[in-house]
Amino acid sequence: MVKLRILADDEEGTLQRAIFEFSKRNIPIEGLFYRRGTSGITMQFSLNREEDAQKVLRNLSKIYGVRNAEIVLVKEGEIFGESIL
Amino acid sequence: MNVIKGAKILLESLYERGLDTVFGIPGGANLAIYDELFSSNFLNILARQEASAVHMADGYARVARKPAVCLVTSGPGATNMVTGMATAYVDSSPVIGITGQVSTRAMGRDSFQESDAFDLMIPVTKFNFKVKSPEEIPITVDKAYKVSMTGRFGPVSIDVPADVAMKDATSRVSGKIPELLYETNFEALSQALHALNSSQRPVILVGGGAKWDDCGADIMKFAEKMGSPVITTVMGKGAVPEDHPLSMGTTGMFGRWSTQQLMNETDLVIALGTRFSDRTTSKTSDFLPSAKVIHVDIDGREIGKNVDGVIGLTGSCIEIVSLLNSHIQDYAGKRIQWTVRAASMKSFCKCDINYGDQPLKPQKLIYEMSRLLPDDVILTADVGQHQMFAAHYFETRGRRNFITSGGLGTMGFGLPAAIGAKIAAPDRKVVSLVGDGGFQMTFSEFSTAVENNVPVFIIVMNNGSLGMVRQFQKQFYNHHIFSTDYEKGPNFAKFAEAMGGNGVVVEKASEVADAIKAGLKSDVPFVADVRVDVMEDCLPMIPAGAGRSSVVFGKCKWGNISNGEIANFGR
């Protein structure tokens, strides 16, 4: 499983726009975490294939308000680098 | 602090950014904005359908090179707007679309004329906004303007609920015009210069991005220094003068076969502002068999998207062409053999289309348009056979501009885009070449042109059919011509007269020139209903997804000469 993490300004529609970047390329999303915080929003997509993540990465980073989009290593039981256990 | 209504803040915010023209249709949810528009300095154009209003704004933006505003109501107003916004999005046109919305207390209740305009616009805009209070409006307009005009242009929409537009606020309109930033990446510059200096047979491929930069003169200087032929995509047509000796015309699915030959032989393509769409490349594995590619684009996402292994330079065409030009040696005298070969191919490609045949051939119409339209004409082409005939045969020389829906292929685009273009450039002649199918999709806008004294000249290439679809049925579906021929076609000249304009029906080759002259002289909107031969296909054509070897030549003379003869061109 490959994880893609996106940090963005808190603009309405950024989540929907990010999801469209996957659906328009027929890339299935296996999991999604979303968090709204004081400094913006964080999204973490789980995908099956690394090439899909690479394909969509540049497009995600071009969405207005996105500060960073990257493929991340996530340990089991963690979301956004924090333990959920 | 002054108390100002949300609608007034919206209009003032737009006006402060130099946006002074609104194309749209009022309705319940945007009436507060229209009420303010009444006493504003905006030029207001009342369209007949919302998609057309966006096409008008799109045509305006492509000529003025700045955003145009489209204002529609909620529900069907917003859903009708989607096609126009999608058209602008694919062709990178900076339209700012404003949708009225039901009031915030009615949202989510399936209220009358409620549609989720915000989510509808997501896939067809660069970004979109929903305002929740009048105080947010100035900053939202700032953002919308910035997004639409930064880097690769594109449409942006703002959803404005009725109560937000009606509510008073104490916000002042921001006077700050956002800084226009765009991404640049010249890391591959030395690699690009090495490729330019070592190439023996370079080709410059010009796409629509170069038109937004208006850098045709710089491209031709670069081409002269490089000793390189210049080819355009359909979207790039008009970026460079096609009467220049190095200018080879349009390539792609229906392009000139000489351009296909050159692309097959080149060892280096310098691609300027093109995304290498499937209409340009056809089968990608057959495309550019022996060439390196330097890909210049303002949008870094396009680099390497459709063609692999490119040398990518991200930035504006005008900046990068100037940079490359200042760094390369002068090859004009060193690539003579290649430029002579290109010239001989161009010369072979010039076929005589001054047909006197009956029934009248589409090529004859394009021949006369090419001959008679002024050198600063703005030609908008709709979508279909006539568009490809024009892309292939019409010569964009001088300041001629060619505007078309090249990406989405939206039938009905031609006429409203011409109205927008004429409003942006009232001193230039604006001609719209349309098919009878596309014209009937938006011909109610002829009335808009009459009402607003916008004397556009519409040339209907009328074959009584959805010609391109018919051609596909003929070529690829065993001649099963079904649901493409109109059994009863209107008389478009009488239609024009009924709407308050003028028109003429043309049935003979000998009548074409006089009709064009009459249309150019007319001070009211004018239609030339030119009845052409439905049997005439637009050829040569490479079938969708196929390679060069599957080309259908028809009577194109490239189909009648051997590879040996082609090899001797210019030698």
Side-chain angles (χ1 to χ4, degrees), chain B residues 133-363:
Chain B
S133 71
E135 286 80 7
E136 290 174 26
I137 291 173
I139 186 73
T140 305
V141 171
D142 260 355
K143 286 178 185 175
Y145 185 91
K146 184 176 182 178
V147 172
S148 71
M149 291 294 286
T150 301
R152 181 179 182 167
F153 295 168
V156 175
S157 73
I158 306 173
D159 200 30
V160 185
D163 55 331
V164 172
M166 283 187 277
K167 207 180 284 179
D168 288 332
T170 52
S171 291
R172 287 181 185 277
V173 176
S174 163
K176 187 184 166 197
I177 294 179
E179 190 185 354
L180 301 179
L181 299 170
Y182 60 88
E183 177 196 16
T184 54
N185 185 344
F186 300 160
E187 277 173 28
L189 181 62
S190 61
Q191 208 186 339
L193 291 172
H194 177 73
L196 289 168
N197 289 328
S198 56
S199 168
Q200 301 295 310
R201 302 179 304 280
V203 159
I204 298 170
L205 176 66
V206 180
K211 270 164 84 171
W212 285 110
D213 271 357
D214 195 17
C215 58
D218 300 82
I219 292 171
M220 292 321 296
K221 268 187 216 159
F222 179 53
E224 286 165 8
K225 202 169 168 188
M226 281 287 294
S228 169
V230 179
I231 292 169
T232 64
T233 66
V234 170
M235 284 304 295
K237 188 176 177 71
V240 293
E242 288 181 333
D243 55 347
H244 189 287
L246 286 171
S247 189
M248 306 301 296
T250 308
T251 193
M253 193 170 178
F254 297 91
R256 290 176 177 262
W257 195 250
S258 51
T259 67
Q260 295 285 350
Q261 285 294 136
L262 289 169
M263 301 273 255
N264 208 36
E265 293 177 21
T266 179
D267 62 0
L268 177 70
V269 168
I270 305 112
L272 304 173
T274 173
R275 64 169 173 269
F276 291 109
S277 85
D278 56 311
R279 284 298 189 263
T280 299
T281 65
S282 298
K283 189 177 177 183
T284 44
S285 56
D286 282 12
F287 184 61
L288 304 176
S290 50
K292 286 183 183 169
V293 176
I294 298 172
H295 191 176
V296 174
D297 205 289
I298 199 160
D299 183 350
R301 286 173 300 186
E302 293 298 341
I303 310 280
K305 185 177 88 176
N306 293 334
V307 174
D308 294 331
V310 301
I311 301 165
L313 297 172
T314 306
S316 73
C317 281
I318 195 162
E319 188 178 13
I320 293 177
V321 167
S322 152
L323 186 70
L324 295 177
N325 221 352
S326 63
H327 279 77
I328 56 162
Q329 301 163 32
D330 193 334
Y331 287 98
K334 296 176 188 165
R335 289 176 180 143
I336 289 282
Q337 207 179 335
W338 174 237
T339 50
V340 167
R341 180 159 174 76
S344 64
M345 288 200 190
K346 179 179 180 175
S347 169
F348 185 75
C349 225
K350 265 192 182 164
C351 41
D352 180 12
I353 55 168
N354 186 15
Y355 301 134
D357 307 358
Q358 285 305 127
L360 173 58
K361 301 292 180 200
Q363 294 92 330

Side-chain angles (χ1 to χ4, degrees), chain B residues 274-494:
Chain B
T274 173
R275 64 169 173 269
F276 291 109
S277 85
D278 56 311
R279 284 298 189 263
T280 299
T281 65
S282 298
K283 189 177 177 183
T284 44
S285 56
D286 282 12
F287 184 61
L288 304 176
S290 50
K292 286 183 183 169
V293 176
I294 298 172
H295 191 176
V296 174
D297 205 289
I298 199 160
D299 183 350
R301 286 173 300 186
E302 293 298 341
I303 310 280
K305 185 177 88 176
N306 293 334
V307 174
D308 294 331
V310 301
I311 301 165
L313 297 172
T314 306
S316 73
C317 281
I318 195 162
E319 188 178 13
I320 293 177
V321 167
S322 152
L323 186 70
L324 295 177
N325 221 352
S326 63
H327 279 77
I328 56 162
Q329 301 163 32
D330 193 334
Y331 287 98
K334 296 176 188 165
R335 289 176 180 143
I336 289 282
Q337 207 179 335
W338 174 237
T339 50
V340 167
R341 180 159 174 76
S344 64
M345 288 200 190
K346 179 179 180 175
S347 169
F348 185 75
C349 225
K350 265 192 182 164
C351 41
D352 180 12
I353 55 168
N354 186 15
Y355 301 134
D357 307 358
Q358 285 305 127
L360 173 58
K361 301 292 180 200
Q363 294 92 330
K364 167 69 177 176
L365 171 60
I366 305 291
Y367 170 83
E368 293 295 359
M369 287 171 61
S370 217
R371 190 170 73 86
L372 296 169
L373 297 187
D375 278 1
D376 67 345
V377 74
I378 297 168
L379 178 65
T380 72
D382 207 78
V383 172
Q385 265 183 333
H386 64 280
Q387 175 194 32
M388 291 300 118
F389 273 120
H392 191 116
Y393 293 109
F394 182 76
E395 188 177 78
T396 50
R397 57 175 180 262
R399 287 180 60 222
R400 285 179 173 182
N401 198 351
F402 183 78
I403 292 172
T404 194
S405 168
L408 198 68
T410 307
M411 288 176 70
F413 171 85
L415 167 60
I419 294 170
K422 183 68 182 172
I423 289 167
D427 297 334
R428 292 170 71 178
K429 291 286 179 193
V430 177
V431 177
S432 185
L433 177 67
V434 300
D436 49 314
F439 187 45
Q440 290 182 78
M441 290 189 179
T442 53
F443 65 171
S444 53
E445 303 303 340
F446 191 82
S447 178
T448 310
V450 171
E451 186 172 85
N452 291 282
N453 300 313
V454 182
V456 289
F457 173 22
I458 298 105
I459 300 175
V460 186
M461 188 185 274
N462 183 357
N463 59 6
S465 174
L466 294 165
M468 186 58 86
V469 189
R470 187 184 207 279
Q471 177 172 333
F472 275 48
Q473 289 177 330
K474 191 170 150 189
Q475 299 285 348
F476 312 121
Y477 290 87
N478 297 317
H479 275 73
H480 291 164
I481 309 299
F482 176 68
S483 198
T484 40
D485 288 349
Y486 299 112
E487 290 182 13
K488 286 188 179 176
N491 180 322
F492 295 115
K494 284 188 177 168

Side-chain angles (χ1 to χ4, degrees), chain A residues 11-14 16-17 20-21 24-25 58-60 62-65, chain B residues 118-119 122-123 125-130 132 143 147 183 300-301 303:
Chain A
E11 288 282 357
E12 189 169 1
T14 306
Q16 295 98 308
R17 208 165 267 277
F20 269 115
E21 293 296 337
K24 75 191 269 192
R25 292 174 180 79
R58 266 200 296 185
N59 300 283
L60 290 168
K62 290 280 179 170
I63 294 172
Y64 173 70
Chain B
F118 182 78
D119 282 311
I122 286 176
T125 54
K126 267 185 91 175
F127 207 79
N128 60 325
F129 302 91
K130 187 195 294 181
K132 298 182 190 72
K143 286 178 185 175
V147 172
E183 177 196 16
R301 286 173 300 186
I303 310 280

Side-chain angles (χ1 to χ4, degrees), chain B residues 19 57-58 61-62 65-69 88 91-96 145 148-149 153-156 212:
Chain B
L19 313 183
D58 188 349
R62 293 190 204 207
R65 292 193 174 83
K66 67 175 186 180
V69 180
D91 288 348
S92 312
S93 184
V95 171
I96 294 182
Y145 185 91
S148 71
M149 291 294 286
F153 295 168
V156 175
W212 285 110

